[in-house]
Amino acid sequence: MSHIMKNILRNSVLLTAALTAFAACSDSDTPNPGPVIEPPAEMYFTSASDAVYRAGSDKALYELKLTNDDNELFLAFEADLFDGAGDPMPADGEYDVTADSYWLSSKDGVEVRRKLASGSVAFAATEAGCKLGGTVAGSDKTELRFSFEGPVKFADYNGEPEPDALKCLGAYGTYYGSYYIPQAADWFIRIFDTEHKNQGDPYTYIIDLDFTSTRPAGAPLMPAMGTYRIDSEGLFAEGTMVGGMMNGTCGSFWRVRNGDTTTAYIVTDGFFTLRRADNGKYQIFGTLKDNWGQELSFSYEGSLSFNNDAVGTFTAFTTDYDMGEAYYANQKCYDTSEEGNFWKIYLYDEASWTTKGQAGYFITFDIPLTTDCKSIPAGEYTAAAHVLKPELGNFIPGYMFAYDQSIATAGGSWVAVGRDTGTMAYAPVRDGKLTIVDNGGGEYTVTVDALDDDYVPHRITATYTGKLPLTSDSKVQ
């Protein structure tokens, strides 16, 4: 994997064509009724599953999924570390849900997924098992009042390998740095059921663990110890495992060789734990699952080191870039959703506009806005903190999923350059300001004062005064 270019299949904007938009609630001997949970429940959930306990350095993360016929509510909350006997279980109390929580509802065949922006869950042990209730709200302000009562068993993902786990004998690691998005530090471990000291050595099983962890702070190159679970939101959050992707060269997989045939299993659920063992060795174990009911438990203990194959910068600028007065500008809404719409504003120099992207430069800013916007409103726009969950009214910093531009997918805000073969991403806009002033009469003044991603960033500047028409393919007209 460290020598294979990792590709990504993802719904992103391609800058490739000219002028286009690119607990466990176990039975207790003396159950504590705990806090009274009487929310004004509008929805009752009938089952609980995927309950997980993950211990951190000073707090524990509890996760579980509640379901009924048409709804799925995934709750994650932090509580004190469990230090009792038996299965882990949070203490009775009320807990704020984390940003990983979500509510998936279905009606008339249409699914709506809402990330939870606020809310809490009250938890109590009862004679029936557990009682849960609370009120949560999506980022679109829709509230859900819920309750559940029944058995729940939180699986301890910080425990020991399964008794029948596949014993593995070889492993190596690679650090890819900001491979997927700027915020994520990507790490990779490949594990074999044989010692596999050299390329081409025989094996039956290969296990690929792709995950995000802390950035290295010196030698030796090593991710944080702990338990990594699937990044179900696809945000590459620190401390999560990247699920397998359909192209077969990215994310987490396991592969089984049988003669000349190799079968790949795409990891869609599960966990693995990485921790130090005796004599300078490391222990890696876990259970991986795919969408078709296949499951693999594995265990490895031995040496582990990581090669540094970190992605560098993407900018092609070697000096500051000043477009001066842009020749033309326009805007479009390129994607819509219940929580917000995505817009782009384009500023072109004369060569870019008149040659339809076969020469010159243009600058594009990617901006999420509320659903009621009919155009990009006047105001000052700065870089969002996260490219995959940007705040409304900030521009999305430019990023790529691969360091080879010939196959890369570019998203966010970019400077693009024209070539005879079409337009290509040239420099990501990572920081700075976009200012739009309404001059009245349908005219605007746009000012760009931005920075690229170089170690010492280059300044990107431009101005424009005139109308900002919608493109013909804008989804909002």
Side-chain angles (χ1 to χ4, degrees), residues 10-212:
R10 194 174 181 87
N11 293 327
S12 296
V13 179
L14 287 173
L15 294 170
T16 56
L19 312 182
T20 58
F22 309 69
C25 286
S26 56
D27 292 332
S28 172
D29 292 336
T30 56
N32 183 349
V36 176
I37 302 176
E38 294 296 343
E42 293 182 344
M43 186 175 295
Y44 179 74
F45 287 91
T46 56
S47 64
S49 62
D50 295 350
V52 172
Y53 166 83
R54 293 196 293 162
S57 57
D58 57 356
K59 287 285 186 180
L61 180 68
Y62 285 85
E63 301 173 345
L64 78 160
K65 183 188 297 181
L66 304 178
T67 55
N68 58 27
D69 289 340
D70 300 314
N71 293 270
E72 178 181 299
L73 180 63
F74 178 79
L75 299 172
F77 57 91
E78 286 189 337
D80 291 334
L81 292 168
F82 180 74
D83 58 359
D87 296 319
M89 183 173 68
D92 293 351
E94 186 171 356
Y95 303 95
D96 292 334
V97 298
T98 72
D100 291 329
S101 305
Y102 66 84
W103 169 27
L104 179 66
S105 59
S106 176
K107 185 176 181 181
D108 297 329
V110 177
E111 287 190 346
V112 177
R113 186 185 185 94
R114 295 178 176 88
K115 288 185 61 63
L116 299 186
S118 62
S120 62
V121 53
F123 180 96
T126 68
E127 291 184 354
C130 293
K131 192 174 184 180
L132 306 173
T135 301
V136 293
S139 55
D140 63 348
K141 309 301 183 185
T142 301
E143 286 194 348
L144 170 66
R145 290 172 289 177
F146 68 93
S147 62
F148 167 81
E149 185 170 7
V152 178
K153 179 182 176 63
F154 287 93
D156 186 353
Y157 278 359
N158 299 79
E160 297 297 328
E162 294 292 331
D164 59 348
L166 173 71
K167 186 176 181 180
C168 298
L169 302 177
Y172 69 85
T174 305
Y175 173 60
Y176 286 108
S178 298
Y179 190 88
Y180 292 109
I181 60 172
Q183 290 89 350
D186 185 57
W187 300 75
F188 172 80
I189 299 174
R190 172 162 282 179
I191 303 173
F192 299 88
D193 64 329
T194 60
E195 290 189 9
H196 206 88
K197 295 181 178 179
N198 299 293
Q199 189 171 359
D201 284 352
Y203 68 87
T204 301
Y205 286 83
I206 285 180
I207 300 166
D208 288 347
L209 304 175
D210 193 355
F211 60 104
T212 57

Side-chain angles (χ1 to χ4, degrees), residues 2 21 50 90 106 117 138 246 253 255 329 343 405 446:
S2 62
D50 295 350
S106 176
M246 293 299 292
F253 289 80
R255 295 172 173 84
W343 288 76
Q405 285 194 347
V446 181

Side-chain angles (χ1 to χ4, degrees), residues 245-266:
M245 301 181 191
M246 293 299 292
N247 61 357
T249 59
C250 271
S252 300
F253 289 80
W254 79 88
R255 295 172 173 84
V256 183
R257 176 182 286 180
N258 184 6
D260 294 333
T261 303
T262 300
T263 304
Y265 298 87
I266 300 171

Side-chain angles (χ1 to χ4, degrees), residues 445-464:
T445 295
V446 181
T447 304
V448 174
D449 191 353
L451 299 172
D452 67 7
D453 70 332
D454 209 348
Y455 300 111
V456 178
H458 302 113
R459 191 178 178 193
I460 300 165
T461 52
T463 59
Y464 171 78

Side-chain angles (χ1 to χ4, degrees), residues 15-18 356-359 417-424:
L15 294 170
T16 56
K356 298 188 181 300
Q358 292 186 325
V417 64
R419 295 285 188 261
D420 290 339
T421 54
T423 306
M424 65 178 292

